[in-house]
Amino acid sequence: MEYPENTVLLVDDEKPVLNALKRLIRPLKCTVLVTESPNEALRILDEQQIDLVISDMRMPEMSGERFLEQVAKQSPDTERIVMTAYSDPQATIDAINHGKVSRFMMKPWEDEDVLKVVRKSFELTALRRQNEALQALTRQKNAELAALNDSLEQKVEARTEQLKDANVRIKNSYRSVVRMFSNLTARRLGVKATADNHRLNQILLGVAKYCKVEGTPLKQLYYAWQLRNIGKLSFDDSLLTKPYVELSAEQQRQFHAHPLLAEAATMLVKPLFPAGNIIRQHKEYLDGSGYPKGLQGDQISQPARILCVVNDYIELTLGTYQGRQYSTNEALAYLREYASERYEDRVVDALEAVVSALAKEGDVVKDDCKASQDLAPEMVLSRDLVSGQGVLLLSAGQTLDTVAIQRIREMEANLDEQFAVYIKN
């Protein structure tokens, strides 16, 4: 086997010994350097890489153990071998302790022994170099991996921000879709999109907060609130222009399908599935008298119970349930009368507390419905006074005086009507 990549340095003060060793090692095709001077050998070690040093023990310029000690300090990766014709135990110990030699060989030597030692040294050097190369490669790969990780973290952070932005856009698009269908439904039902929408939203959110609904459940409840009437879009006018109690039995049967139709519509948008479940149950009553499935008690979800109370309250005040609009106090009294049968007491309590609190802050109106004979000066209209033919007689917010009260009574007589006058309280 040949070793063209390896170099051996022979150091001996006897030139014939150097020549003999050089001839012996030359067939290995390695680089062979020779010198009779230990100092020269140290200079050579400074200038180039030497894999193996074979040194005589006794040399006039410097002892072998001292020379090899310098080699160990100067070139620790160079393997060191001592060759001597003398058996000197102390010199051997010194060479091991200071020169860190790996092998002693006696003169005269056996050629095959020398070749075996040189081959083994070169093979160990090759292994060491491979190990160093692998370690260097490992460090390089680790550095590349660290850089890749840094880059990957940056990319992940950037991608995460992109996903967050996309998620926000998607959420906003859901909200926009919900608002669009809510407004479309309101127009189909003849309800104007006014500041009242904000007032009604405040009531729902206030009741939900009172009942400790928050986070995702609150968001789904709000979506259900906005879309609760979407199932009515396909109804003809005969089902929408009359109050519920004035519909025939067959018309009511058709009307009872609107929660299911609304749920089916929300099935087209996966994030609205929970809202659809709430809408499906929002006309169910605790006593089982609701629709469309006649659910009872715990079969009805908590969000649906909340939506049921707030929705029925709004329908009573708008006049879409019975033939006339209820005042806020009348509507609350109606809910309270059925609280132990249809509605959950805690939700009705929450609604009453929220309406009272918002009324004190001026965000909602709390009112009573009075007959004209019960009116008194300084009372303030909470709603527009409209005749049975749809003529606006007085605007909401007007403070009544004796003249206005007298005119209201005269108009009742002239039109042969009895007005429902809503007064702030």
Side-chain angles (χ1 to χ4, degrees):
M1 189 172 179
E2 298 179 349
Y3 303 91
E5 302 297 327
N6 296 97
T7 301
V8 60
L9 175 60
L10 306 176
V11 185
D12 199 301
D13 60 330
E14 297 182 24
K15 193 167 185 178
V17 172
L18 293 175
N19 291 336
L21 286 172
K22 185 174 183 179
R23 285 194 300 271
L24 175 63
I25 297 172
R26 185 178 292 138
L28 298 180
K29 302 299 182 181
C30 63
T31 300
V32 181
L33 303 177
V34 298
T35 179
E36 300 173 28
S37 167
N39 288 324
E40 176 66 16
L42 293 173
R43 185 188 62 77
I44 293 172
L45 283 166
D46 270 340
E47 295 176 352
Q48 64 185 94
Q49 180 177 318
I50 304 298
D51 301 312
L52 172 62
V53 170
I54 300 177
S55 174
D56 188 22
M57 193 66 167
R58 293 187 177 182
M59 295 177 288
E61 186 177 293
M62 187 185 299
S63 65
E65 64 270 19
R66 184 181 171 193
F67 165 66
L68 292 173
E69 182 181 1
Q70 293 296 318
V71 173
K73 294 177 180 178
Q74 189 170 318
S75 182
D77 291 334
T78 299
E79 188 172 1
R80 296 166 292 280
I81 295 176
V82 168
M83 186 172 283
T84 181
Y86 304 95
S87 178
D88 186 343
Q90 186 58 48
T92 300
I93 293 171
D94 291 341
I96 293 173
N97 289 338
H98 303 295
K100 299 181 178 62
V101 299
S102 59
R103 183 74 178 263
F104 276 86
M105 300 186 72
M106 298 300 295
K107 295 178 182 178
W109 60 80
E110 292 290 337
D111 289 352
E112 189 57 34
D113 288 343
V114 173
L115 292 175
K116 285 181 180 179
V117 168
V118 173
R119 289 193 189 97
K120 184 178 180 180
S121 174
F122 289 165
E123 289 168 2
L124 289 174
T125 298
L127 289 174
R128 177 174 54 78
R129 288 176 178 171
Q130 289 176 8
N131 183 52
E132 291 173 350
L134 287 173
Q135 290 181 356
L137 180 60
T138 300
R139 288 192 295 271
Q140 176 187 345
K141 294 302 180 183
N142 286 339
E144 292 175 356
L145 181 60
L148 180 60
N149 285 337
D150 290 340
S151 174
L152 183 59
E153 288 179 0
Q154 294 174 1
K155 291 180 180 177
V156 168
E157 289 178 0
R159 183 56 177 162
T160 300
E161 290 302 317
Q162 292 175 355
L163 291 174
K164 287 181 179 178
D165 291 342
N167 190 39
V168 170
R169 289 195 296 271
I170 290 173
K171 288 181 178 179
N172 290 337
S173 68
Y174 291 149
R175 296 189 185 102
S176 298
V177 169
V178 168
R179 284 195 296 268
M180 178 186 71
F181 279 103
S182 178
N183 292 335
L184 181 63
T185 304
R187 287 197 296 270
R188 177 70 179 91
L189 299 179
V191 179
K192 295 180 180 180
T194 65
D196 281 350
N197 293 337
H198 175 67
R199 174 178 61 84
L200 300 182
N201 292 342
Q202 281 186 299
I203 293 175
L204 174 83
L205 296 175
V207 173
K209 182 179 179 181
Y210 189 99
C211 295
K212 301 187 184 308
V213 178
E214 55 189 15
T216 299
L218 176 60
K219 178 176 67 175
Q220 293 297 330
L221 174 58
Y222 183 77
Y223 287 162
W225 163 255
Q226 295 292 324
L227 299 174
R228 68 193 187 281
N229 290 318
I230 194 173
K232 299 176 183 178
L233 287 176
S234 61
F235 289 169
D236 58 40
D237 290 344
S238 64
L239 295 179
L240 301 179
T241 56
K242 292 182 180 180
Y244 173 78
V245 296
E246 295 180 8
L247 296 175
S248 67
E250 174 59 23
Q251 287 176 321
Q252 286 186 358
R253 188 190 65 78
Q254 297 177 33
F255 191 83
H256 289 173
H258 77 81
L260 296 176
L261 296 174
E263 181 191 30
T266 61
M267 293 293 287
L268 297 174
V269 184
K270 187 174 181 179
L272 296 179
F273 285 4
N277 291 331
I278 297 171
I279 296 173
R280 174 168 50 84
Q281 297 184 357
H282 87 282
K283 293 300 293 184
E284 303 283 2
Y285 298 130
L286 297 180
D287 61 359
S289 64
Y291 59 85
K293 298 296 183 180
L295 302 180
Q296 299 181 23
D298 292 339
Q299 293 177 315
I300 307 170
S301 69
Q302 179 65 24
R305 298 183 195 187
I306 294 172
L307 183 56
C308 175
V309 169
V310 178
N311 178 75
D312 280 12
Y313 170 78
I314 299 304
E315 288 185 350
L316 287 169
T317 57
L318 291 179
T320 58
Y321 180 71
Q322 293 198 3
R324 69 176 183 85
Q325 296 181 354
Y326 279 45
S327 70
T328 57
N329 289 333
E330 286 178 313
L332 290 171
Y334 177 91
L335 298 176
R336 179 63 62 194
E337 179 182 352
Y338 288 95
S340 60
E341 298 177 9
R342 291 187 176 184
Y343 309 105
E344 183 176 338
D345 290 340
R346 186 169 69 101
V347 180
V348 176
D349 292 341
L351 175 63
E352 192 165 9
V354 169
V355 170
S356 296
L358 292 176
K360 289 180 180 178
E361 297 174 4
D363 291 329
V364 302
V365 174
K366 194 174 182 183
D367 57 14
D368 285 311
C369 183
K370 294 184 177 295
S372 62
Q373 63 266 25
D374 297 324
L375 298 178
E378 302 304 321
M379 288 183 175
V380 179
L381 292 179
S382 61
R383 311 184 196 186
D384 291 340
L385 179 60
V386 181
S387 70
Q389 289 75 34
V391 177
L392 176 63
L393 303 177
L394 293 173
S395 298
Q398 182 170 336
T399 300
L400 300 179
D401 55 19
T402 54
V403 174
I405 294 172
Q406 183 60 36
R407 287 179 178 175
I408 291 174
R409 293 169 180 169
E410 290 175 356
M411 284 186 287
E412 281 185 326
N414 293 335
L415 297 174
D416 194 21
E417 290 186 38
Q418 185 173 0
F419 299 147
V421 185
Y422 296 90
I423 302 298
K424 291 183 180 181
N425 64 358

